[in-house]
Amino acid sequence: MLRYALRRLLGVIPTLFAIITLSFFVIRIAPGGPFDDEQTLPPEIKANLEAAYGLDQPLHVQYGRYLAGLVRGDFGPSFKFKDFSVTELIAQGLPISLTLGLSAILVALLIGVPLGSLAALRQNRPTDHSIMAVAVLGIALPSFVVGPLLALTFGLHLRWLPVAGWESGQWRYLVLPVITLALPVIAYIARLTRGSLLEVLRSNFVRTARSKGLSERAILWRHALRPAMLPVVSYLGPATAFVITGSLVVETVFGLPGSGRYLVQGAINRDYTLVMGMIVVYGSVTLLFNLIADLLYGWLDPRVRYD
Amino acid sequence: MNRTLLSIRELSVRYSTPDGIVPAVNDFSLDLQAGECVGIVGESGAGKSQSFLAVMGLLPGNATVGGTATLGSESLLGCGIDALNRLRGARIAMIFQDPMTSLTPHMRVGEQIAESLVLHKGLSQTDAMARALDLLQQVQVTDARRRLHQYPHELSGGMRQRVMIAVALACDPEVLIADEPTTALDVTVQAQILSLLAELKRERRMGLVLVTHDLGVVAGVADRVLVMYGGRVVESGAVGEMLVSPRHPYTRALLRSMPRIDDDRTAPLTAIPGQPPSPAKLPSGCAFHPRCAGADAACRDQLPAMLEGRTRAACHHPEGAS
Ligand SMILES: Nc1ncnc2c1ncn2[C@@H]1O[C@H](COP(=O)(O)OP(=O)(O)OP(=O)(O)O)[C@@H](O)[C@H]1O
Ligand SMILES: [Mg+2]
């Protein structure tokens, strides 16, 4: 198992390398450059600036330098936030973004799985219908609508939670963003769980378990739930990608100083190193979650282990 | 002295489907004695599995079950899930048709056997595992100590079927229902498993129901045979009579369609013409009449009554009547 995990971890490196290479060149192909909108710059100063950042070099040289930096853990200087390195910028925002994203996925699992199971166990009864109706809403409503609605209700009217903003260490500021981000994931996981649990409950091995005289509860916990979790675990990879994109919106709506804004601003500013840094970090997070999902899958289903 | 273990009366199974009501089983009755093996024979779709899944309370939600089934003095049908759960696995057990998918994939074989021992006999996990090892050895699983800790996918079909038998036998049930326990297996393994079941039946004076569509299997093990067609019992009797001089044309056709090793007759094998009926579109009258050479108007119009004789046969013109 450990060897398998290590092997898979090493397997991530080529994928990450491909992501980095592809992004590096695609970003450079896009029209415009980091110093284009500073119209007041005389051409010779602009040339000096570009030389200082190595932008006057041929592309493959820049690429080589960038990789060499990455290996040392150096993401390079930001072109726009001139006093900061990309590493510093990411280090500021990433902890908030990671907390937000991880909490959203955790909350989604902790709520989505029980909701979906409940719906499956009450199939075609009012509980089931209401859960699934809410789930459809949860998937359909975009977070830039849900977020402000939640902020209005729980922030402005009820005054239970802050409307927006951030004070470090204050979890209260994270509650509404996490809920907003988690809602569609909860809904999706609930639907996945319901469908797959219903299928498992009709399977031959559950019939065998029933023939032993086990209670429905024992059947659910010992026999049905683990195999029913397989599709949910497969969804963890895509869910991470979804939460990362979703967090860009949610951080903006709730004014959280996460790292999402750097991706957006970096892209607008053609801040090559900043965008690349974000891609490397988010790419690694996504790959890591896919890996965790694979390992969980192996734990849930012994048939896929050790190969 | 005979002791009736399982008594099934006028059992019926109806499915409500989008296309209407499907009568999968009608008027099925059976008394099973201690130490007796009853073979249930019939083509695919005859209602063999449905009858016994109904008795075990294992049918899906869109099935309605009628009639009664009692195990000793306890009622199995409509007795409530808790009462039923005290019986199944403990006093009545079932081996299922498909050994490849009937074991839980993420649980070790030993745990799956031990489970009902912990539940019904109150054994500790350790004792239950020791007993599971005994059981695996009893059903002649090779290398049982290692198998105990393996997952189902690590075992061959024959091994899984033996594990299924061990699961069913764990609590020493009075009644064992074996639904085609050998279909998925090759001939040598088939013979081993059948003789194993026969031996267990003798040793434990267990009542054994052996569901199969193979009369040859029945010949070796069963004391009595029930032949099902289109969801009904069409003939029943002692195994000797049923295999030598059956009275129902369907049973005779089944016999003719079957190769026999002990038989040097030169008559060719004849397949039964036509297809077995789907319970959704059962022919009128006697369901067998479209495939029966001796059918007449009465066969088309009226459901034949069960006629006593050497065997009990539901036929308007049974063999041996004038
Ligand atoms: N879920 C269901 N919904 C509707 N009809 C069903 C359902 N399950 C079974 N049936 C009907 O019940 C009939 C009898 O099925 P059963 O499984 O008892 O056949 P069988 O005699 O065991 O055949 P086989 O030898 O193939 O196992 C089937 O032909 C089918 O039409
Ligand atoms: Mg069957």
Side-chain angles (χ1 to χ4, degrees), chain A residues 43-291:
Chain A
E44 53 276 23
I45 294 186
K46 189 178 163 193
N48 272 342
L49 265 175
E50 290 188 338
Y53 287 109
L55 292 174
D56 56 340
Q57 303 286 323
L59 209 49
H60 65 271
V61 175
Q62 293 183 35
Y63 173 66
R65 283 186 182 172
Y66 186 71
L67 282 188
L70 269 191
V71 172
R72 292 193 309 270
D74 178 8
F75 288 110
S78 165
F79 294 159
K80 280 290 154 146
F81 301 91
K82 295 207 174 67
D83 297 331
F84 297 93
S85 71
V86 170
T87 314
E88 283 166 334
L89 288 175
I90 291 178
Q92 272 178 20
L94 196 64
I96 298 174
S97 293
L98 276 186
T99 315
L100 175 66
L102 284 178
S103 315
I105 287 189
L106 212 64
V107 165
L109 282 172
L110 287 178
I111 297 179
V113 169
L115 271 186
S117 307
L118 190 66
L121 295 176
R122 303 265 184 283
Q123 190 195 3
N124 294 336
R125 281 187 261 171
T127 322
D128 178 23
H129 292 311
S130 2
I131 292 176
M132 283 307 113
V134 175
V136 169
L137 269 184
I139 292 174
L141 284 178
S143 47
F144 58 79
V145 175
V146 174
L149 273 179
L150 289 180
L152 265 177
T153 317
F154 296 101
L156 274 181
H157 285 294
L158 298 171
R159 297 184 172 281
W160 289 352
L161 291 160
V163 178
W166 176 247
E167 276 172 42
S168 69
Q170 290 274 329
W171 60 269
R172 300 172 66 248
Y173 287 90
L174 275 177
V175 175
L176 291 181
V178 166
I179 292 176
T180 309
L181 192 52
L183 222 50
V185 189
I186 293 174
Y188 200 80
I189 288 182
R191 278 168 43 140
L192 272 180
T193 305
R194 176 184 183 273
S196 88
L197 186 57
L198 280 176
E199 199 177 309
V200 170
L201 287 175
R202 280 193 296 267
S203 71
N204 283 344
F205 63 83
V206 165
R207 190 178 62 186
T208 307
R210 290 210 170 96
S211 81
K212 293 178 186 174
L214 294 172
S215 66
E216 282 300 304
R217 174 193 292 257
I219 287 169
L220 182 69
W221 283 104
R222 280 216 286 274
H223 293 264
L225 213 48
R226 251 171 81 171
M229 282 301 92
L230 291 176
V232 176
V233 168
S234 303
Y235 170 64
L236 273 188
T240 316
F242 174 87
V243 163
I244 286 176
T245 24
S247 68
L248 302 185
V249 177
V250 171
E251 283 173 12
T252 312
V253 168
F254 288 98
L256 284 178
S259 50
R261 60 201 162 119
Y262 294 133
L263 190 58
V264 181
Q265 288 171 14
I268 294 169
N269 293 338
R270 301 283 181 275
D271 194 342
Y272 295 150
T273 41
L274 185 55
V275 174
M276 279 308 295
M278 292 302 299
I279 289 174
V280 172
V281 168
Y282 280 173
S284 311
V285 170
T286 312
L287 288 176
L288 188 69
F289 262 79
N290 276 293
L291 180 61

Side-chain angles (χ1 to χ4, degrees), chain B residues 251-303:
Chain B
T251 316
R252 277 183 277 129
L254 263 187
L255 272 179
R256 276 198 304 276
S257 68
M258 205 188 70
R260 296 171 61 156
I261 307 164
D262 59 321
D263 191 28
D264 51 14
R265 67 179 169 178
T266 46
L269 290 177
T270 40
I272 309 175
Q275 293 292 314
S278 147
K281 295 194 290 284
L282 277 186
S284 62
C286 168
F288 186 57
H289 85 257
R291 301 167 79 190
C292 182
D296 61 14
C299 303
R300 271 192 300 278
D301 299 338
Q302 292 164 34
L303 193 67

Side-chain angles (χ1 to χ4, degrees), chain B residues 30-102:
Chain B
L30 167 70
D31 279 316
L32 182 71
Q33 317 294 331
E36 181 189 39
C37 172
V38 173
I40 313 289
V41 191
E43 285 166 293
S44 201
K48 308 181 296 293
S49 299
Q50 300 305 313
S51 308
F52 291 96
L53 289 173
V55 167
M56 294 289 291
L58 294 172
L59 290 178
N62 63 331
T64 323
V65 179
T68 62
T70 51
L71 183 71
S73 58
E74 313 269 356
S75 172
L76 286 162
L77 299 182
C79 61
I81 188 76
D82 292 331
L84 183 61
N85 275 341
R86 276 193 293 276
L87 298 176
R88 38 183 196 185
R91 294 178 54 197
I92 181 168
M94 184 157 177
I95 304 169
F96 298 95
Q97 206 165 346
D98 187 358
M100 300 315 271
T101 59
S102 292

